[in-house]
């Protein structure tokens, strides 16, 4: 029917628009990633703010920025980016959660890492942990001397 065709066209138009937005955001995201790799946090923050102001920040932008904070040893900054992402009505993905969990583990803050792990599982729909998430959390437990917790988590991850 004509209505079905219009819905299909509308869906195609939305997909094209999203792709265009991703293309526009790519140079910004690439610059933030480069600053993150170089551990140039102030430059990454400046480019991130520019991206947000330009209305081009997407999930990938936020993930890259959280990684910049983690690489520079600022777990609280990474957590703040995740919180800002949620306030901006974006849904953090497994990469973003894992990055923030890694930041908390590196800062020897296992409690915050576990809180983020629980938060990702409680999302609707849940954000499923991947192998990297599990390894990050297990390493964090072992690094904090919480071998019993690491073992319990491992058994939970194995499933029934």
């Amino acid at each position: 029917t004509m209505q079905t065709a219009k819905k299909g066209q509308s869906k195609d138009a939305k997909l094209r628009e999203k792709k265009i937005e991703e293309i526009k955001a790519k140079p910004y995201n690439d610059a933030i990633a480069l600053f993150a790799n170089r551990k140039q946090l102030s430059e990454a923050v400046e480019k991130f703010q520019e991206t947000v102001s330009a209305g081009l920040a997407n999930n990938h932008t936020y993930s890259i920025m959280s990684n910049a904070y983690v690489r520079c040893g600022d777990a609280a900054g990474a957590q703040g980016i995740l919180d800002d992402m949620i306030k901006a009505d974006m849904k953090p993905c497994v990469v973003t959660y894992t990055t923030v969990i890694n930041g908390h583990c590196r800062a020897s803050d296992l409690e915050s890492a576990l809180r983020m792990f629980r938060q990702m599982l409680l999302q609707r729909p849940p954000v499923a942990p991947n192998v990297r998430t599990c390894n990050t959390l297990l390493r964090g437990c072992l690094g904090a001397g919480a071998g019993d917790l690491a073992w319990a988590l491992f058994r939970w991850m194995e499933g029934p």
Side-chain angles (χ1 to χ4, degrees):
T1 66
M2 187 67 134
Q3 208 169 20
T4 305
K6 282 186 179 181
K7 281 184 181 178
Q9 288 173 345
S10 174
K11 191 175 183 179
D12 287 346
K14 285 181 182 178
L15 286 173
R16 277 192 302 275
E17 184 179 322
K18 184 177 180 186
K19 189 66 178 170
I20 289 168
E21 288 175 10
E22 287 174 5
I23 291 168
K24 287 180 180 178
K26 187 171 182 351
Y28 291 89
N29 290 344
D30 289 349
I32 297 167
L34 181 63
F35 292 134
N37 286 335
R38 293 178 177 170
K39 298 185 180 183
Q40 296 174 314
L41 186 56
S42 60
E43 291 86 347
V45 169
E46 187 177 316
K47 185 55 79 173
F48 175 76
Q49 290 170 342
E50 184 183 330
T51 310
V52 171
S53 294
L56 296 173
N58 56 27
N59 281 29
H60 193 59
T61 310
Y62 282 84
S63 289
I64 295 166
M65 192 62 223
S66 67
N67 184 55
Y69 277 106
V70 170
R71 287 187 52 81
C72 293
D74 187 347
Q79 180 67 56
I81 290 294
L82 186 139
D83 295 342
D84 289 348
M85 185 178 192
I86 293 169
K87 286 177 196 162
D89 287 328
M90 293 186 191
K91 296 203 178 286
C93 64
V94 66
V95 173
T96 309
Y97 275 111
T98 301
T99 300
V100 174
I101 289 168
N102 185 34
H104 289 308
C105 288
R106 285 181 175 196
S108 301
D109 186 357
L110 188 56
E111 186 177 323
S112 293
L114 290 168
R115 187 178 66 249
M116 283 297 92
F117 186 68
R118 280 191 298 274
Q119 182 177 321
M120 69 186 282
L121 296 174
L122 293 173
Q123 294 302 301
R124 293 290 167 241
V127 177
N130 61 22
V131 170
R132 183 165 286 182
T133 311
C134 297
N135 285 340
T136 298
L137 198 52
L138 291 173
R139 266 194 325 274
C141 289
L142 294 175
D148 288 347
L149 179 56
W151 184 243
L153 279 168
F154 178 76
R155 285 197 313 268
W156 175 83
M157 290 171 192
E158 278 188 315

mmCIF file of all heavy atoms in Angstrom, residues 102-145:
data_model
loop_
_atom_site.group_PDB
_atom_site.id
_atom_site.type_symbol
_atom_site.label_atom_id
_atom_site.label_comp_id
_atom_site.label_asym_id
_atom_site.label_seq_id
_atom_site.Cartn_x
_atom_site.Cartn_y
_atom_site.Cartn_z
ATOM 1 N N ASN A 102 36.912 -0.347 33.305
ATOM 2 C CA ASN A 102 38.371 -0.405 33.256
ATOM 3 C C ASN A 102 38.989 0.775 34.016
ATOM 4 O O ASN A 102 39.950 0.609 34.770
ATOM 5 C CB ASN A 102 38.844 -0.426 31.805
ATOM 6 C CG ASN A 102 40.329 -0.603 31.688
ATOM 7 O OD1 ASN A 102 40.971 -1.286 32.488
ATOM 8 N ND2 ASN A 102 40.913 0.007 30.677
ATOM 9 N N GLY A 103 38.427 1.954 33.835
ATOM 10 C CA GLY A 103 38.934 3.131 34.545
ATOM 11 C C GLY A 103 38.837 2.964 36.052
ATOM 12 O O GLY A 103 39.792 3.266 36.790
ATOM 13 N N HIS A 104 37.701 2.464 36.515
ATOM 14 C CA HIS A 104 37.531 2.248 37.956
ATOM 15 C C HIS A 104 38.490 1.165 38.467
ATOM 16 O O HIS A 104 39.069 1.319 39.548
ATOM 17 C CB HIS A 104 36.086 1.882 38.278
ATOM 18 C CG HIS A 104 35.121 3.021 38.134
ATOM 19 N ND1 HIS A 104 35.310 4.247 38.728
ATOM 20 C CD2 HIS A 104 33.950 3.123 37.454
ATOM 21 C CE1 HIS A 104 34.302 5.049 38.436
ATOM 22 N NE2 HIS A 104 33.468 4.393 37.647
ATOM 23 N N CYS A 105 38.662 0.106 37.683
ATOM 24 C CA CYS A 105 39.596 -0.961 38.088
ATOM 25 C C CYS A 105 41.025 -0.422 38.162
ATOM 26 O O CYS A 105 41.754 -0.708 39.119
ATOM 27 C CB CYS A 105 39.514 -2.144 37.128
ATOM 28 S SG CYS A 105 37.997 -3.110 37.291
ATOM 29 N N ARG A 106 41.425 0.370 37.169
ATOM 30 C CA ARG A 106 42.771 0.954 37.176
ATOM 31 C C ARG A 106 42.980 1.877 38.375
ATOM 32 O O ARG A 106 44.100 2.033 38.849
ATOM 33 C CB ARG A 106 43.018 1.750 35.893
ATOM 34 C CG ARG A 106 43.256 0.909 34.685
ATOM 35 C CD ARG A 106 43.506 1.811 33.486
ATOM 36 N NE ARG A 106 43.855 1.062 32.303
ATOM 37 C CZ ARG A 106 44.408 1.602 31.243
ATOM 38 N NH1 ARG A 106 44.683 2.893 31.209
ATOM 39 N NH2 ARG A 106 44.682 0.866 30.190
ATOM 40 N N ALA A 107 41.892 2.503 38.835
ATOM 41 C CA ALA A 107 41.960 3.405 39.988
ATOM 42 C C ALA A 107 41.776 2.648 41.303
ATOM 43 O O ALA A 107 41.632 3.255 42.364
ATOM 44 C CB ALA A 107 40.894 4.487 39.859
ATOM 45 N N SER A 108 41.787 1.313 41.217
ATOM 46 C CA SER A 108 41.592 0.444 42.396
ATOM 47 C C SER A 108 40.263 0.717 43.094
ATOM 48 O O SER A 108 40.164 0.615 44.312
ATOM 49 C CB SER A 108 42.756 0.599 43.388
ATOM 50 O OG SER A 108 43.967 0.258 42.762
ATOM 51 N N ASP A 109 39.241 1.057 42.317
ATOM 52 C CA ASP A 109 37.904 1.314 42.846
ATOM 53 C C ASP A 109 36.972 0.216 42.358
ATOM 54 O O ASP A 109 36.136 0.425 41.475
ATOM 55 C CB ASP A 109 37.426 2.701 42.401
ATOM 56 C CG ASP A 109 36.098 3.096 43.028
ATOM 57 O OD1 ASP A 109 35.500 2.280 43.780
ATOM 58 O OD2 ASP A 109 35.636 4.223 42.749
ATOM 59 N N LEU A 110 37.147 -0.962 42.956
ATOM 60 C CA LEU A 110 36.380 -2.131 42.547
ATOM 61 C C LEU A 110 34.886 -1.927 42.806
ATOM 62 O O LEU A 110 34.055 -2.380 42.018
ATOM 63 C CB LEU A 110 36.896 -3.373 43.272
ATOM 64 C CG LEU A 110 36.340 -4.711 42.822
ATOM 65 C CD1 LEU A 110 36.547 -4.923 41.331
ATOM 66 C CD2 LEU A 110 36.986 -5.834 43.623
ATOM 67 N N GLU A 111 34.547 -1.224 43.864
ATOM 68 C CA GLU A 111 33.139 -0.981 44.187
ATOM 69 C C GLU A 111 32.440 -0.237 43.043
ATOM 70 O O GLU A 111 31.352 -0.612 42.617
ATOM 71 C CB GLU A 111 33.037 -0.179 45.488
ATOM 72 C CG GLU A 111 31.613 0.005 45.975
ATOM 73 C CD GLU A 111 31.552 0.743 47.303
ATOM 74 O OE1 GLU A 111 32.422 0.523 48.156
ATOM 75 O OE2 GLU A 111 30.608 1.551 47.463
ATOM 76 N N SER A 112 33.074 0.812 42.526
ATOM 77 C CA SER A 112 32.481 1.560 41.407
ATOM 78 C C SER A 112 32.446 0.713 40.140
ATOM 79 O O SER A 112 31.493 0.799 39.353
ATOM 80 C CB SER A 112 33.260 2.853 41.156
ATOM 81 O OG SER A 112 33.101 3.737 42.245
ATOM 82 N N ALA A 113 33.477 -0.109 39.922
ATOM 83 C CA ALA A 113 33.495 -0.992 38.747
ATOM 84 C C ALA A 113 32.323 -1.967 38.802
ATOM 85 O O ALA A 113 31.626 -2.166 37.797
ATOM 86 C CB ALA A 113 34.820 -1.746 38.676
ATOM 87 N N LEU A 114 32.089 -2.545 39.968
ATOM 88 C CA LEU A 114 30.970 -3.480 40.121
ATOM 89 C C LEU A 114 29.629 -2.765 39.987
ATOM 90 O O LEU A 114 28.683 -3.324 39.425
ATOM 91 C CB LEU A 114 31.061 -4.202 41.471
ATOM 92 C CG LEU A 114 32.212 -5.197 41.579
ATOM 93 C CD1 LEU A 114 32.404 -5.627 43.023
ATOM 94 C CD2 LEU A 114 31.959 -6.401 40.677
ATOM 95 N N ARG A 115 29.548 -1.530 40.467
ATOM 96 C CA ARG A 115 28.320 -0.746 40.317
ATOM 97 C C ARG A 115 28.007 -0.528 38.829
ATOM 98 O O ARG A 115 26.869 -0.675 38.391
ATOM 99 C CB ARG A 115 28.437 0.580 41.065
ATOM 100 C CG ARG A 115 27.126 1.360 41.094
ATOM 101 C CD ARG A 115 27.199 2.666 41.876
ATOM 102 N NE ARG A 115 28.091 3.612 41.216
ATOM 103 C CZ ARG A 115 29.275 4.010 41.686
ATOM 104 N NH1 ARG A 115 29.717 3.554 42.836
ATOM 105 N NH2 ARG A 115 30.020 4.862 41.016
ATOM 106 N N MET A 116 29.044 -0.210 38.035
ATOM 107 C CA MET A 116 28.838 -0.024 36.591
ATOM 108 C C MET A 116 28.428 -1.332 35.923
ATOM 109 O O MET A 116 27.580 -1.337 35.028
ATOM 110 C CB MET A 116 30.126 0.490 35.931
ATOM 111 C CG MET A 116 30.413 1.952 36.148
ATOM 112 S SD MET A 116 29.148 3.013 35.419
ATOM 113 C CE MET A 116 28.045 3.226 36.806
ATOM 114 N N PHE A 117 29.023 -2.428 36.366
ATOM 115 C CA PHE A 117 28.674 -3.745 35.821
ATOM 116 C C PHE A 117 27.199 -4.040 36.091
ATOM 117 O O PHE A 117 26.468 -4.454 35.188
ATOM 118 C CB PHE A 117 29.582 -4.813 36.428
ATOM 119 C CG PHE A 117 29.409 -6.176 35.826
ATOM 120 C CD1 PHE A 117 29.779 -6.429 34.519
ATOM 121 C CD2 PHE A 117 28.890 -7.218 36.583
ATOM 122 C CE1 PHE A 117 29.637 -7.693 33.955
ATOM 123 C CE2 PHE A 117 28.747 -8.488 36.037
ATOM 124 C CZ PHE A 117 29.116 -8.721 34.723
ATOM 125 N N ARG A 118 26.764 -3.800 37.319
ATOM 126 C CA ARG A 118 25.346 -4.014 37.658
ATOM 127 C C ARG A 118 24.457 -3.082 36.842
ATOM 128 O O ARG A 118 23.410 -3.491 36.346
ATOM 129 C CB ARG A 118 25.110 -3.787 39.158
ATOM 130 C CG ARG A 118 25.499 -4.956 40.029
ATOM 131 C CD ARG A 118 25.009 -4.799 41.459
ATOM 132 N NE ARG A 118 25.580 -3.638 42.128
ATOM 133 C CZ ARG A 118 26.747 -3.621 42.764
ATOM 134 N NH1 ARG A 118 27.471 -4.708 42.836
ATOM 135 N NH2 ARG A 118 27.181 -2.528 43.348
ATOM 136 N N GLN A 119 24.875 -1.831 36.697
ATOM 137 C CA GLN A 119 24.070 -0.850 35.952
ATOM 138 C C GLN A 119 23.865 -1.307 34.511
ATOM 139 O O GLN A 119 22.756 -1.199 33.979
ATOM 140 C CB GLN A 119 24.745 0.518 35.972
ATOM 141 C CG GLN A 119 23.948 1.592 35.261
ATOM 142 C CD GLN A 119 24.601 2.963 35.347
ATOM 143 O OE1 GLN A 119 25.148 3.332 36.374
ATOM 144 N NE2 GLN A 119 24.542 3.719 34.259
ATOM 145 N N MET A 120 24.914 -1.831 33.881
ATOM 146 C CA MET A 120 24.750 -2.257 32.484
ATOM 147 C C MET A 120 23.785 -3.435 32.376
ATOM 148 O O MET A 120 23.014 -3.524 31.428
ATOM 149 C CB MET A 120 26.102 -2.533 31.806
ATOM 150 C CG MET A 120 26.861 -3.724 32.273
ATOM 151 S SD MET A 120 28.524 -3.848 31.534
ATOM 152 C CE MET A 120 28.159 -4.484 29.928
ATOM 153 N N LEU A 121 23.812 -4.316 33.379
ATOM 154 C CA LEU A 121 22.908 -5.466 33.350
ATOM 155 C C LEU A 121 21.461 -5.079 33.636
ATOM 156 O O LEU A 121 20.538 -5.768 33.213
ATOM 157 C CB LEU A 121 23.363 -6.515 34.370
ATOM 158 C CG LEU A 121 24.733 -7.145 34.119
ATOM 159 C CD1 LEU A 121 25.119 -8.056 35.269
ATOM 160 C CD2 LEU A 121 24.755 -7.893 32.797
ATOM 161 N N LEU A 122 21.274 -3.949 34.337
ATOM 162 C CA LEU A 122 19.927 -3.507 34.700
ATOM 163 C C LEU A 122 19.288 -2.592 33.668
ATOM 164 O O LEU A 122 18.127 -2.206 33.823
ATOM 165 C CB LEU A 122 19.960 -2.809 36.067
ATOM 166 C CG LEU A 122 20.301 -3.719 37.250
ATOM 167 C CD1 LEU A 122 20.475 -2.896 38.521
ATOM 168 C CD2 LEU A 122 19.233 -4.792 37.438
ATOM 169 N N GLN A 123 20.031 -2.216 32.621
ATOM 170 C CA GLN A 123 19.464 -1.377 31.568
ATOM 171 C C GLN A 123 18.334 -2.135 30.884
ATOM 172 O O GLN A 123 18.299 -3.358 30.890
ATOM 173 C CB GLN A 123 20.532 -1.003 30.529
ATOM 174 C CG GLN A 123 21.626 -0.114 31.054
ATOM 175 C CD GLN A 123 21.102 1.184 31.616
ATOM 176 O OE1 GLN A 123 20.453 1.957 30.937
ATOM 177 N NE2 GLN A 123 21.370 1.408 32.889
ATOM 178 N N ARG A 124 17.423 -1.395 30.300
ATOM 179 C CA ARG A 124 16.323 -1.991 29.547
ATOM 180 C C ARG A 124 16.416 -1.546 28.111
ATOM 181 O O ARG A 124 16.209 -0.369 27.848
ATOM 182 C CB ARG A 124 14.976 -1.627 30.152
ATOM 183 C CG ARG A 124 14.762 -2.242 31.506
ATOM 184 C CD ARG A 124 14.582 -3.761 31.388
ATOM 185 N NE ARG A 124 14.692 -4.394 32.697
ATOM 186 C CZ ARG A 124 15.619 -5.299 33.010
ATOM 187 N NH1 ARG A 124 16.518 -5.668 32.143
ATOM 188 N NH2 ARG A 124 15.649 -5.855 34.183
ATOM 189 N N PRO A 125 16.761 -2.400 27.170
ATOM 190 C CA PRO A 125 17.182 -3.785 27.391
ATOM 191 C C PRO A 125 18.573 -3.828 28.020
ATOM 192 O O PRO A 125 19.334 -2.865 27.921
ATOM 193 C CB PRO A 125 17.201 -4.381 25.967
ATOM 194 C CG PRO A 125 17.452 -3.207 25.083
ATOM 195 C CD PRO A 125 16.807 -2.020 25.750
ATOM 196 N N PRO A 126 18.897 -4.956 28.656
ATOM 197 C CA PRO A 126 20.215 -5.059 29.300
ATOM 198 C C PRO A 126 21.345 -4.909 28.288
ATOM 199 O O PRO A 126 21.203 -5.272 27.123
ATOM 200 C CB PRO A 126 20.222 -6.467 29.894
ATOM 201 C CG PRO A 126 18.806 -6.924 29.890
ATOM 202 C CD PRO A 126 18.103 -6.165 28.807
ATOM 203 N N VAL A 127 22.449 -4.347 28.737
ATOM 204 C CA VAL A 127 23.652 -4.272 27.910
ATOM 205 C C VAL A 127 24.473 -5.506 28.283
ATOM 206 O O VAL A 127 24.960 -5.611 29.411
ATOM 207 C CB VAL A 127 24.447 -2.975 28.170
ATOM 208 C CG1 VAL A 127 25.726 -2.957 27.359
ATOM 209 C CG2 VAL A 127 23.586 -1.753 27.855
ATOM 210 N N ALA A 128 24.583 -6.427 27.361
ATOM 211 C CA ALA A 128 25.264 -7.697 27.646
ATOM 212 C C ALA A 128 26.779 -7.495 27.700
ATOM 213 O O ALA A 128 27.357 -6.903 26.785
ATOM 214 C CB ALA A 128 24.917 -8.728 26.577
ATOM 215 N N PRO A 129 27.410 -7.975 28.768
ATOM 216 C CA PRO A 129 28.871 -7.889 28.826
ATOM 217 C C PRO A 129 29.490 -8.782 27.760
ATOM 218 O O PRO A 129 28.921 -9.809 27.399
ATOM 219 C CB PRO A 129 29.211 -8.387 30.234
ATOM 220 C CG PRO A 129 28.022 -9.165 30.685
ATOM 221 C CD PRO A 129 26.835 -8.627 29.929
ATOM 222 N N ASN A 130 30.643 -8.365 27.246
ATOM 223 C CA ASN A 130 31.363 -9.208 26.293
ATOM 224 C C ASN A 130 32.607 -9.774 26.987
ATOM 225 O O ASN A 130 32.812 -9.555 28.189
ATOM 226 C CB ASN A 130 31.689 -8.447 24.999
ATOM 227 C CG ASN A 130 32.578 -7.235 25.232
ATOM 228 O OD1 ASN A 130 33.293 -7.131 26.236
ATOM 229 N ND2 ASN A 130 32.548 -6.303 24.301
ATOM 230 N N VAL A 131 33.426 -10.480 26.258
ATOM 231 C CA VAL A 131 34.616 -11.109 26.829
ATOM 232 C C VAL A 131 35.535 -10.054 27.447
ATOM 233 O O VAL A 131 36.079 -10.244 28.538
ATOM 234 C CB VAL A 131 35.374 -11.933 25.756
ATOM 235 C CG1 VAL A 131 36.717 -12.393 26.256
ATOM 236 C CG2 VAL A 131 34.527 -13.113 25.320
ATOM 237 N N ARG A 132 35.679 -8.920 26.766
ATOM 238 C CA ARG A 132 36.547 -7.865 27.285
ATOM 239 C C ARG A 132 36.012 -7.316 28.613
ATOM 240 O O ARG A 132 36.773 -7.037 29.527
ATOM 241 C CB ARG A 132 36.681 -6.747 26.258
ATOM 242 C CG ARG A 132 37.632 -5.661 26.706
ATOM 243 C CD ARG A 132 38.024 -4.780 25.583
ATOM 244 N NE ARG A 132 38.961 -5.512 24.732
ATOM 245 C CZ ARG A 132 39.546 -5.023 23.673
ATOM 246 N NH1 ARG A 132 39.301 -3.798 23.292
ATOM 247 N NH2 ARG A 132 40.382 -5.752 22.958
ATOM 248 N N THR A 133 34.692 -7.145 28.706
ATOM 249 C CA THR A 133 34.085 -6.667 29.955
ATOM 250 C C THR A 133 34.415 -7.635 31.096
ATOM 251 O O THR A 133 34.850 -7.209 32.170
ATOM 252 C CB THR A 133 32.548 -6.565 29.819
ATOM 253 O OG1 THR A 133 32.206 -5.875 28.631
ATOM 254 C CG2 THR A 133 31.939 -5.876 31.024
ATOM 255 N N CYS A 134 34.210 -8.913 30.838
ATOM 256 C CA CYS A 134 34.441 -9.930 31.865
ATOM 257 C C CYS A 134 35.916 -9.984 32.262
ATOM 258 O O CYS A 134 36.236 -10.006 33.463
ATOM 259 C CB CYS A 134 33.957 -11.296 31.372
ATOM 260 S SG CYS A 134 32.171 -11.332 31.075
ATOM 261 N N ASN A 135 36.800 -9.965 31.290
ATOM 262 C CA ASN A 135 38.235 -9.991 31.597
ATOM 263 C C ASN A 135 38.657 -8.763 32.396
ATOM 264 O O ASN A 135 39.450 -8.862 33.335
ATOM 265 C CB ASN A 135 39.064 -10.081 30.320
ATOM 266 C CG ASN A 135 39.038 -11.458 29.701
ATOM 267 O OD1 ASN A 135 38.732 -12.439 30.370
ATOM 268 N ND2 ASN A 135 39.348 -11.532 28.425
ATOM 269 N N THR A 136 38.131 -7.603 32.020
ATOM 270 C CA THR A 136 38.453 -6.352 32.723
ATOM 271 C C THR A 136 38.031 -6.444 34.179
ATOM 272 O O THR A 136 38.799 -6.100 35.085
ATOM 273 C CB THR A 136 37.760 -5.159 32.032
ATOM 274 O OG1 THR A 136 38.248 -5.054 30.697
ATOM 275 C CG2 THR A 136 38.005 -3.862 32.771
ATOM 276 N N LEU A 137 36.820 -6.923 34.410
ATOM 277 C CA LEU A 137 36.308 -7.024 35.774
ATOM 278 C C LEU A 137 37.072 -8.082 36.578
ATOM 279 O O LEU A 137 37.420 -7.846 37.739
ATOM 280 C CB LEU A 137 34.812 -7.340 35.738
ATOM 281 C CG LEU A 137 34.021 -7.075 36.996
ATOM 282 C CD1 LEU A 137 34.250 -5.651 37.513
ATOM 283 C CD2 LEU A 137 32.548 -7.302 36.737
ATOM 284 N N LEU A 138 37.365 -9.206 35.953
ATOM 285 C CA LEU A 138 38.126 -10.257 36.655
ATOM 286 C C LEU A 138 39.525 -9.757 37.016
ATOM 287 O O LEU A 138 40.001 -9.977 38.139
ATOM 288 C CB LEU A 138 38.207 -11.522 35.799
ATOM 289 C CG LEU A 138 36.889 -12.279 35.622
ATOM 290 C CD1 LEU A 138 37.055 -13.404 34.613
ATOM 291 C CD2 LEU A 138 36.380 -12.816 36.957
ATOM 292 N N ARG A 139 40.189 -9.067 36.090
ATOM 293 C CA ARG A 139 41.515 -8.485 36.387
ATOM 294 C C ARG A 139 41.426 -7.467 37.515
ATOM 295 O O ARG A 139 42.307 -7.388 38.367
ATOM 296 C CB ARG A 139 42.102 -7.820 35.134
ATOM 297 C CG ARG A 139 43.014 -8.712 34.332
ATOM 298 C CD ARG A 139 43.835 -7.934 33.294
ATOM 299 N NE ARG A 139 43.167 -6.804 32.678
ATOM 300 C CZ ARG A 139 42.368 -6.884 31.604
ATOM 301 N NH1 ARG A 139 42.149 -8.047 31.026
ATOM 302 N NH2 ARG A 139 41.808 -5.802 31.104
ATOM 303 N N GLY A 140 40.347 -6.681 37.500
ATOM 304 C CA GLY A 140 40.145 -5.697 38.563
ATOM 305 C C GLY A 140 40.000 -6.361 39.919
ATOM 306 O O GLY A 140 40.562 -5.883 40.914
ATOM 307 N N CYS A 141 39.253 -7.452 39.959
ATOM 308 C CA CYS A 141 39.087 -8.193 41.215
ATOM 309 C C CYS A 141 40.428 -8.729 41.695
ATOM 310 O O CYS A 141 40.784 -8.585 42.869
ATOM 311 C CB CYS A 141 38.114 -9.358 41.027
ATOM 312 S SG CYS A 141 36.396 -8.878 40.821
ATOM 313 N N LEU A 142 41.171 -9.346 40.793
ATOM 314 C CA LEU A 142 42.465 -9.920 41.175
ATOM 315 C C LEU A 142 43.443 -8.831 41.611
ATOM 316 O O LEU A 142 44.178 -9.004 42.587
ATOM 317 C CB LEU A 142 43.038 -10.752 40.033
ATOM 318 C CG LEU A 142 42.237 -12.013 39.682
ATOM 319 C CD1 LEU A 142 42.822 -12.693 38.457
ATOM 320 C CD2 LEU A 142 42.179 -12.961 40.868
ATOM 321 N N GLY A 143 43.429 -7.698 40.891
ATOM 322 C CA GLY A 143 44.309 -6.581 41.243
ATOM 323 C C GLY A 143 43.992 -5.996 42.615
ATOM 324 O O GLY A 143 44.872 -5.482 43.298
ATOM 325 N N ALA A 144 42.723 -6.099 43.018
ATOM 326 C CA ALA A 144 42.294 -5.575 44.318
ATOM 327 C C ALA A 144 42.422 -6.628 45.412
ATOM 328 O O ALA A 144 42.041 -6.381 46.556
ATOM 329 C CB ALA A 144 40.858 -5.079 44.228
ATOM 330 N N GLY A 145 42.948 -7.810 45.048
ATOM 331 C CA GLY A 145 43.093 -8.872 46.042
ATOM 332 C C GLY A 145 41.782 -9.545 46.383
ATOM 333 O O GLY A 145 41.655 -10.168 47.437
#
